[in-house]
Amino acid sequence: MSKLYPSTTKGIFIMLFSDLRLSAPILKAVHEEGYTTPTPVQEKAIPPILEGRDMLAGAQTGTGKTAGFTLPILEILSRETHPKGKNHIRVLILTPTRELAAQVGESVQTYGKYLPFKSTIIFGGVGIQPQIKALRSGIDILIATPGRLLDHVSQGTIDLTHVEILVLDEADRMLDMGFIRDIRKVIAILPAKRQNLLFSATYSDEIKKLCESILKNPAIVEVARRNTSSELVTQKVILVDCKRKTALLGELIKKNRWAQVLVFTRTKHQANKVSDYLIKIGISAAAIHGNKSQGARTKALSDFKAGIVKILVATDIAARGLDIDQLPHVVNLELPNIAEDYVHRIGRTGRAGNNGEAISLVCVDEYDYLKGIEKLINRKLERETIAGFEPDLTIKPEPIQQGRGQRPSGAPKRKDNAPREYVEKRRERNR
Ligand code: AMP
């Protein structure tokens, strides 16, 4: 019989962090973050992880999943007596993007600040030497993206033979981005006896296959998907002509005095264009996408968090996993061509008990995307128009690839439907 773990969902009792058998240094750090009660994924995931079980957790960003695995991992490490001498990598956390790696790394630092463990982050796009130096200094917890991790493996600058716990965070996204072979290569060099934790927002056949090959008798943790359950996010569609979207965005920001908005575009080119336009009309904005240096991305994110920059314009990959608390507004300036990405996008708002608003500016070219999204989330989104920006009903839809304003003039046409950034990510990894 499967073991039952207590839950607040039936309203019988409220679980506290102190009920979770976490030690004082961890509880102190958690309380300093201002968390009072564990989120559902934390309630459900922490006990079985502490028991040493493998886990398959269906949880998206925004559910508190990072603490859901970081807290019990820190607890497990602190329970085992520390081998004297140089530290070994005992925990390996793989993430799909640098941003997510950075955020998980931050969480490990925050929750582990009263513990003696050392952690570091390694990802591509930045110099390898500082990472080699950090690894040499002795690391207990390593957070890495697969491509750069394998670079270290092939250069012999990393020792993964002491890994006790492997976490695959956002495993579905890693597979989407073509990391499956890299993941398998990494797993092949890890010790066979280890605890495996796999977090994924979706459960495709590919994920199922991966789980079957690496998880042993896993505890299964499922929390409500944000797309269907989150009543905290108001979702709205504004119909507008493609070429007037940017002007409408500026108008909405000014008229509603929005102070913090994450705006999504499908392409890097469009992200730059929108950010430039907003700056031109006197609204502080920054673009964040794969062509920006790591330093520029980090600065844009911290300026946005600090309120120095009001509008952050991002592509899907760049925004993936961004940890921005209590984001009040998300605007889809362009709908994503993958319906699942819509769910990830709106997951940036309405977090941890705060209301949020997700507004999609939709033009005639995107009606098929809208239909796909509504099918996925199983509900029809409210549509409206804004006075002065009503769509011209005589305009006929054009395919998005060749569509209005999608391609910088002179840029080559894309050959297929594969999200451009995934392809570029792969290229970057292979460089
Ligand atoms: P994650 O899903 O891990 O990206 O976490 C989403 C956000 O929820 C992060 O900003 C965390 O700081 C926050 N968070 C995590 N656990 C809790 C908690 N128990 N109570 C309140 N906020 C939390």
Side-chain angles (χ1 to χ4, degrees), residues 303-322:
D303 284 354
F304 182 60
K305 282 188 176 182
I308 300 166
V309 160
K310 282 188 184 175
I311 318 294
L312 191 63
V313 190
T315 54
D316 290 285
I317 291 288
R320 180 75 187 159
L322 284 185

Side-chain angles (χ1 to χ4, degrees), residues 246-266:
T246 319
L248 174 58
L249 175 68
E251 174 87 2
L252 288 171
I253 294 167
K254 283 190 168 167
K255 206 174 88 200
N256 298 306
R257 296 169 191 270
W258 286 339
Q260 200 187 32
V261 189
L262 181 59
V263 176
F264 283 96
T265 62
R266 275 191 297 271

Side-chain angles (χ1 to χ4, degrees), residues 83-98:
K84 284 257 183 302
K86 201 178 144 204
N87 306 21
H88 295 298
I89 298 170
R90 296 171 67 191
V91 179
L92 172 63
I93 303 171
L94 288 182
T95 71
T97 64
R98 328 168 191 187

Side-chain angles (χ1 to χ4, degrees), residues 36-298:
T36 44
T37 51
T39 65
V41 71
Q42 291 161 3
E43 267 188 41
K44 291 179 188 166
I46 292 173
I49 297 176
L50 286 177
E51 283 176 11
R53 289 189 64 181
D54 278 7
M55 172 167 294
L56 165 62
Q60 290 176 299
T61 298
T63 52
K65 69 178 167 64
T66 315
F69 62 78
T70 307
L71 300 177
I73 284 174
L74 289 166
E75 180 68 30
I76 291 171
L77 293 195
S78 60
R79 281 181 191 173
E80 310 244 325
T81 45
H82 221 15
K84 284 257 183 302
K86 201 178 144 204
N87 306 21
H88 295 298
I89 298 170
R90 296 171 67 191
V91 179
L92 172 63
I93 303 171
L94 288 182
T95 71
T97 64
R98 328 168 191 187
E99 279 77 15
L100 188 61
Q103 282 161 23
V104 172
E106 240 174 68
S107 296
V108 169
Q109 296 274 349
T110 303
Y111 305 134
K113 66 178 164 189
Y114 298 113
L115 290 169
F117 307 118
K118 281 172 71 180
S119 63
T120 197
I121 313 163
I122 61 177
F123 48 65
V126 293
I128 200 164
Q129 283 309 324
Q131 297 176 353
I132 293 175
K133 207 170 147 209
L135 289 168
R136 273 204 203 116
S137 74
I139 291 295
D140 303 277
I141 303 171
L142 179 67
I143 305 103
T145 53
R148 179 55 67 90
L149 180 68
L150 284 173
D151 289 346
H152 283 278
V153 170
S154 61
Q155 291 192 24
T157 47
I158 198 163
D159 175 11
L160 295 174
T161 57
H162 298 272
V163 170
E164 298 162 32
I165 304 175
L166 169 70
V167 181
L168 299 179
D169 193 13
E170 302 201 354
D172 48 350
R173 187 50 57 127
M174 284 200 270
L175 299 192
D176 285 351
M177 289 170 67
F179 284 139
I180 184 68
R181 283 181 54 211
D182 288 354
I183 292 171
R184 292 206 184 276
K185 275 188 210 164
V186 172
I187 289 173
I189 51 175
L190 298 181
K193 190 175 170 303
R194 55 168 203 271
Q195 186 175 8
N196 302 291
L197 312 174
L198 188 146
F199 285 76
S200 178
T202 53
Y203 193 60
S204 62
D205 286 348
E206 234 187 332
I207 286 286
K208 213 167 140 192
K209 241 166 69 190
L210 182 66
C211 291
E212 279 162 8
S213 65
I214 64 168
L215 302 179
K216 292 187 195 87
N217 182 28
I220 314 270
V221 165
E222 188 68 53
V223 293
R225 290 182 58 91
R226 295 182 61 82
N227 58 334
T228 51
S229 69
S230 178
E231 277 130 34
L232 292 169
V233 182
T234 311
Q235 300 172 60
K236 195 154 66 173
V237 166
I238 299 179
L239 301 175
V240 59
D241 289 340
C242 302
K243 61 178 190 307
R244 303 199 66 201
K245 282 183 172 188
T246 319
L248 174 58
L249 175 68
E251 174 87 2
L252 288 171
I253 294 167
K254 283 190 168 167
K255 206 174 88 200
N256 298 306
R257 296 169 191 270
W258 286 339
Q260 200 187 32
V261 189
L262 181 59
V263 176
F264 283 96
T265 62
R266 275 191 297 271
T267 65
K268 301 170 195 175
H269 170 69
Q270 187 70 355
N272 285 335
K273 230 171 95 179
V274 172
S275 151
D276 291 348
Y277 170 79
L278 293 175
I279 293 168
K280 211 172 85 191
I281 62 165
I283 298 169
S284 58
I288 184 167
H289 54 65
N291 278 4
K292 298 263 173 182
S293 69
Q294 189 55 37
R297 291 201 220 182
T298 310

